[in-house]
Amino acid sequence: MEEGRAERRRRTEALSHPQGGTRRAGVMTDVHRRFLQLLMTHGVLEEWDVRRLQKHCYRVHDRTGAVEELEDFINNINSVLESLYIEIKKGATEDDGRPVYALVNLATTSVSKMASDFAENELDLFRKALELIIDSDTGFASSTNILNLVDQLKGKKMRKKEAEQVLQKFVQNKWLIEKEGEFTLHSRAILEMEQYIRETYPDAVKICNICHSLLIQGQSCETCGIRMHLPCVAKYFQPSSEPRCPHCNDYWPHEIPEVFDPEKEREAGPSKVSKRSLRSRQH
Amino acid sequence: MSEQSKDVCDPNSAAEASNSEVHSSPGVPGGLSPPASQAATLAGPESPPLGPTDAPLASPPPEAPSEEGDPKALQQAAEEGRAHQALSTAQPGPAPPAPAQLVQKAHELMWYVLVKDQKRMIIWFPDMVKDVIGSYKKWCRSILRRTSLILARVFGLHLRLTSLHTMEFSLVKALEPEELDRVALSNRMPMTGLLLMILSLIYVKGRGARESAVWNVLRILGLRPWKKHSTFGDVRKLITEEFVQQNYLKYQRVPHVEPPEYEFFWGSRASREITKMQIMEFLARVFKKDPQAWPSRYREALEEARALREADPTAHCPRSSVSED
C-alpha cells in the first residue's frame, strides 16, 4: 500500500506546508461551520449578504472575537476545504459587477450537480442552451433558437410548451437569467461550471483579457477582437479619459460602465433600476 | 445489496457506525492530544494492512477527534479506512480499492448529501448507493463513516438516519440551534413565508385546511391559483406538488364530498422540522398580536416545547431548514 502511505503523507504535508504563500492550514471553529452551513443552504450569495452572514456567525459563537477580514476568513475556510476538493469561490455578476460567492465542487463535472433536479431531457435542454450561449456573440441565446432544438433532445420527447416551462425552472433555480426573451448564464452557473465549460468547449469558450476568467457577456475590441467583462472594463478604464484597447491600443469604442460601488448601492435602496448598467450588445 | 455476509451495506449499521463516532462537541480550540495518540496507535504497524493474516486492527471506533488538528483527523480517517478494509478482505472477493479511492468516494458522497439537503430533497439510502457508492457497495460503511466525520468536522452537521423504515437520512445540525439565523437573513427565502402561512392556517384550525380556505389566505398575499407570480411561479403547482413532494404538506381529497374538494395537512417533514412555537411566533409577527391571542394553540405549543426539551436534554434540536430563512 505504498500508494496509501504516500497519499496520506502528501495530504498531511499539503495541509501543513502549503505550496506558495504563508498560508497555514486553517482552523475550523463553530463560527466557520455555521457560516459554511448557511452559505450552502443559500447556494449563491451576494457579498453584502455574505458579510452579514459572517457577522451573524460571530455573534452567535464568538461575541468577543474580532470579526476577521472577509477575504482572510474565506481563505482560512478554503484551506480546510482544499483537501475535500470544494471551495468557496468568488465571482461577479457579469452585467454590473456585484461580487457573489458560492460553495463549489471542483472535482466533478458540475452539470451533474443539476442532475438530481432535472430529468435527462431537461438536462440535455440545458446543455443545448449552454452551447448556444457560448457560441453566441452576445452571450445570449434566444428562446426561439433554444426551443427549435427540442427535437434533438435525449430522453423522453419534449414539446416546445414544456421546454418553455423547463427554461423557467432553470431561471428560478438560478442557472439561467432571462432578459427580453433571451437567456444567458446566471452568475451561479458561471461560478459552478466554469471548469466544466472550459474543458468541454475549449475552442468556443471566451476569456476576459483582464481577469482571464470565463466570459459570457462583455465588450469586445472591434479591431483585434479581445473581450472584457463589463465590470473589468469599468475597473480598467476608470482612471483614463481616453480608453484604449489594452491589446492593440486602438480607441475603445464602447460606453464605459461605472464601477460597482457597494456604498452607493445601499444608499440607492431596494430599487435597483438606476444601477442596472447597460446590458452589452456592443459586439 | 444484501449478498455479502459481514459487510452488508445496510443503512442501520452504517448509520450506527457513523453515529457512534461522530459525537463532536462544538469546537473547543486546542486539544490535539487525544486524536494524535489514537492516530499514533493506529498508525503503529506501518506494514501494509492488507492480507488475511493481519492482526485484527479492529479497535473500537475512536471518538470523533475534536475539531482542530485537521491533518491528524484526516490521517486517522485514512487509517480507519484501511483498518476496515483489512477486515473485509479476510474473505475472498473483488480487489479492495485503494484508500485514496475510498476517500474520493467519501468526498463525492459528502457533496451529494450537501446538495440534496440544499435542495430540500430527501436523502434516500438506495439513491446514495446507486448514484454515488456504486460498485463500492461493500465498503459503504467505511465510506459513510468518513463522510459523517467530514460533515461533522467541517460543517458541523450530523448525517443521521432519521427513519430506518424508509431508509431516509437527513442532515441535522450539531451546533446549538439558533433562532437568530432566521433574523440574520430574513426575507431571503419567500417560500418559507408561504409555507408557514399555510402551516399556521392548518394549525390554527386544528384540522385539515380546505383548499378554498388556503386560497382565501393566500389572496391576502396577492396570490391566485391561476396567476403566475414573479417569485413563486405557478403557486398552485408549488403548494400542491412541490411542497407535497418535499413532505412539507399533505394534499388529500376530502372524503364523501361532491364535487371533489381537497384539503391540506402538515407533512411529516414539517412535523419534524417546525415546532409549534415557531408557528406561534410567525402568527404573532404577521398579525402583530401576542401569541397568547390563540390560547389553546399557545398552550399546545408550550407543551410541545417542554416535551422536546425533556426528550433531548443535550439540546440537539432537529435541524430546521425553515429557520434558516
Side-chain angles (χ1 to χ4, degrees):
Chain A
M1 285 319 281
E2 299 293 41
E3 209 180 293
R5 238 178 296 145
E7 161 84 21
R8 177 172 38 99
R9 208 179 305 127
R10 182 184 59 75
R11 202 168 339 116
T12 320
E13 280 170 1
L15 277 179
S16 42
H17 308 293
Q19 293 144 336
T22 52
R23 208 174 71 187
R24 56 172 175 78
V27 156
M28 289 295 282
T29 67
D30 282 349
V31 177
H32 303 101
R33 288 190 195 98
R34 185 173 292 271
F35 180 83
L36 264 183
Q37 279 177 23
L38 292 173
L39 181 61
M40 188 67 201
T41 306
H42 288 83
V44 61
L45 281 179
E46 291 197 21
E47 192 166 60
W48 69 283
D49 267 330
V50 173
R51 286 190 194 281
R52 210 155 56 124
L53 184 60
Q54 184 199 16
K55 288 203 186 74
H56 163 76
C57 295
Y58 269 96
R59 239 183 303 135
V60 171
H61 289 289
D62 189 4
R63 283 162 205 273
T64 54
V67 175
E68 204 179 355
E69 175 57 44
L70 184 67
E71 195 180 328
D72 294 328
F73 184 77
I74 290 185
N75 283 343
N76 201 8
I77 298 179
N78 275 340
S79 64
V80 172
L81 300 183
E82 199 173 9
S83 58
L84 307 175
Y85 299 102
I86 62 180
E87 177 183 7
I88 300 176
K89 211 158 157 208
K90 179 179 177 181
T93 57
E94 283 192 319
D95 52 2
D96 52 4
R98 321 162 79 82
V100 291
Y101 293 81
L103 186 61
V104 302
N105 186 341
L106 301 173
T108 58
T109 77
S110 280
V111 180
S112 62
K113 180 177 191 178
M114 301 169 74
S116 52
D117 273 353
F118 300 105
E120 190 188 358
N121 56 1
E122 294 172 329
L123 275 182
D124 212 34
L125 182 68
F126 183 81
R127 266 185 226 111
K128 290 272 185 285
L130 181 63
E131 264 181 55
L132 285 177
I133 289 170
I134 291 171
D135 283 335
S136 79
D137 213 36
T138 58
F140 281 83
S142 75
S143 174
T144 322
N145 288 345
I146 301 174
L147 295 177
N148 282 339
L149 298 173
V150 288
D151 293 327
Q152 301 172 24
L153 295 179
K154 288 188 223 163
K156 208 173 84 161
K157 187 159 170 63
M158 190 191 291
R159 285 186 306 258
K160 282 193 183 173
K161 212 60 172 75
E162 234 183 291
E164 271 177 10
Q165 287 172 352
V166 175
L167 286 176
Q168 287 311 313
K169 235 203 316 185
F170 291 146
V171 172
Q172 270 160 26
N173 284 293
K174 301 200 177 132
W175 298 107
L176 294 177
I177 297 175
E178 183 187 3
K179 265 191 186 140
E180 296 163 19
E182 295 197 317
F183 293 89
T184 188
L185 288 186
H186 194 282
S187 50
R188 177 206 190 165
I190 297 178
L191 263 182
E192 298 200 11
M193 296 188 187
E194 171 160 4
Q195 209 164 324
Y196 166 77
I197 292 174
R198 290 173 88 141
E199 284 167 22
T200 316
Y201 307 99
D203 304 319
V205 98
K206 301 174 187 76
I207 305 292
C208 173
N209 191 265
I210 302 295
C211 68
H212 306 291
S213 307
L214 177 66
L215 183 144
I216 302 287
Q217 293 178 61
Q219 292 178 354
S220 68
C221 174
E222 279 162 12
T223 315
C224 65
I226 60 136
R227 295 171 188 266
M228 291 160 62
H229 290 120
L230 289 170
C232 295
V233 167
K235 253 182 270 180
Y236 185 75
F237 289 132
Q238 193 185 25
S240 62
S241 48
E242 206 186 283
R244 290 186 164 277
C245 171
H247 191 247
C248 68
N249 211 37
D250 223 13
Y251 179 62
W252 192 260
H254 309 291
E255 189 174 338
I256 311 296
E258 280 181 33
V259 175
F260 174 72
D261 184 353
E263 291 304 317
K264 263 199 229 136
E265 181 66 21
R266 243 193 303 269
E267 283 164 35
S271 74
K272 304 190 192 109
V273 181
S274 49
K275 281 298 280 182
R276 284 279 156 220
S277 44
L278 17 148
R279 170 169 71 90
S280 174
R281 295 282 239 153
Q282 300 153 350
H283 285 250
Chain B
M1 183 155 86
S2 48
E3 328 84 71
Q4 313 300 347
S5 50
K6 205 153 57 137
D7 290 301
V8 148
C9 204
D10 105 77
N12 203 10
S13 58
E16 272 168 21
S18 58
N19 280 341
S20 67
E21 308 243 323
V22 179
H23 90 93
S24 37
S25 44
V28 173
L32 277 181
S33 30
S37 60
Q38 277 169 346
T41 37
L42 282 182
E46 272 287 282
S47 54
L50 282 186
T53 55
D54 236 6
L57 292 171
S59 43
E63 292 296 296
S66 61
E67 287 53 274
E68 300 4 291
D70 296 345
K72 299 288 192 284
L74 275 177
Q75 199 171 328
Q76 182 175 6
E79 294 302 345
E80 265 180 69
R82 262 194 273 150
H84 218 188
Q85 248 170 276
L87 295 176
S88 61
T89 52
Q91 51 207 329
Q101 286 171 297
L102 288 184
V103 169
Q104 190 187 332
K105 278 295 166 191
H107 294 163
E108 281 176 30
L109 185 62
M110 169 203 72
W111 187 250
Y112 178 85
V113 159
L114 284 170
V115 169
K116 282 272 186 194
D117 187 73
Q118 182 191 70
K119 305 193 156 118
R120 315 244 203 122
M121 294 172 76
I122 300 292
I123 305 168
W124 200 40
F125 183 68
D127 277 343
M128 281 163 66
V129 175
K130 178 174 62 115
D131 297 334
V132 181
I133 300 185
S135 53
Y136 293 82
K137 250 176 354 194
K138 218 175 147 198
W139 296 275
C140 76
R141 203 186 315 171
S142 83
I143 293 174
L144 252 174
R145 181 181 302 167
R146 187 167 322 200
T147 301
S148 306
L149 201 65
I150 298 173
L151 283 169
R153 189 171 46 80
V154 177
F155 289 82
L157 295 168
H158 278 326
L159 181 61
R160 192 169 283 171
L161 183 67
T162 43
S163 157
L164 180 57
H165 175 62
T166 52
M167 294 200 279
E168 277 172 32
F169 280 85
S170 56
L171 276 183
V172 167
K173 272 184 148 168
L175 307 178
E176 278 155 35
E178 189 51 66
E179 286 306 303
L180 286 178
D181 280 345
R182 180 177 5 166
V183 172
L185 290 163
S186 54
N187 305 323
R188 286 299 128 189
M189 288 169 84
M191 303 283 178
T192 320
L194 176 62
L195 179 64
L196 281 179
M197 202 82 173
I198 301 174
L199 289 175
S200 54
L201 174 67
I202 301 170
Y203 180 56
V204 163
K205 275 171 152 285
R207 56 179 195 282
R210 293 279 179 98
E211 189 170 352
S212 47
V214 170
W215 284 111
N216 279 339
V217 163
L218 295 185
R219 200 165 34 143
I220 302 172
L221 296 176
L223 303 175
R224 316 283 169 131
W226 57 84
K227 261 183 10 190
K228 272 220 188 330
H229 191 260
S230 55
T231 311
F232 298 119
D234 185 339
V235 184
R236 188 156 190 283
K237 185 161 189 250
L238 179 62
I239 64 178
T240 59
E241 288 179 29
E242 286 184 43
F243 284 161
V244 174
Q245 251 166 39
Q246 293 168 5
N247 287 324
Y248 283 115
L249 289 177
K250 281 207 258 271
Y251 182 63
Q252 289 167 3
R253 172 119 182 241
V254 179
H256 316 306
V257 166
E258 284 297 334
E261 274 188 56
Y262 290 82
E263 55 184 345
F264 289 92
F265 294 88
W266 277 47
S268 58
R269 189 161 178 176
S271 309
R272 260 205 315 270
E273 294 185 3
I274 301 169
T275 65
K276 294 179 178 167
M277 199 48 89
Q278 279 173 306
I279 296 288
M280 297 311 298
E281 286 165 13
F282 175 77
L283 287 171
R285 247 194 311 157
V286 167
F287 290 96
K288 301 201 177 18
K289 285 197 211 173
D290 193 87
Q292 307 206 31
W294 297 266
S296 57
R297 294 289 164 257
Y298 187 63
R299 237 176 305 141
E300 269 183 56
L302 279 177
E303 275 172 29
E304 185 199 60
R306 193 175 356 117
L308 281 173
R309 266 196 311 272
E310 283 168 14
D312 200 355
T314 56
H316 274 188
C317 279
R319 172 160 179 253
S320 171
S321 44
V322 172
S323 73
E324 305 310 310
D325 267 25

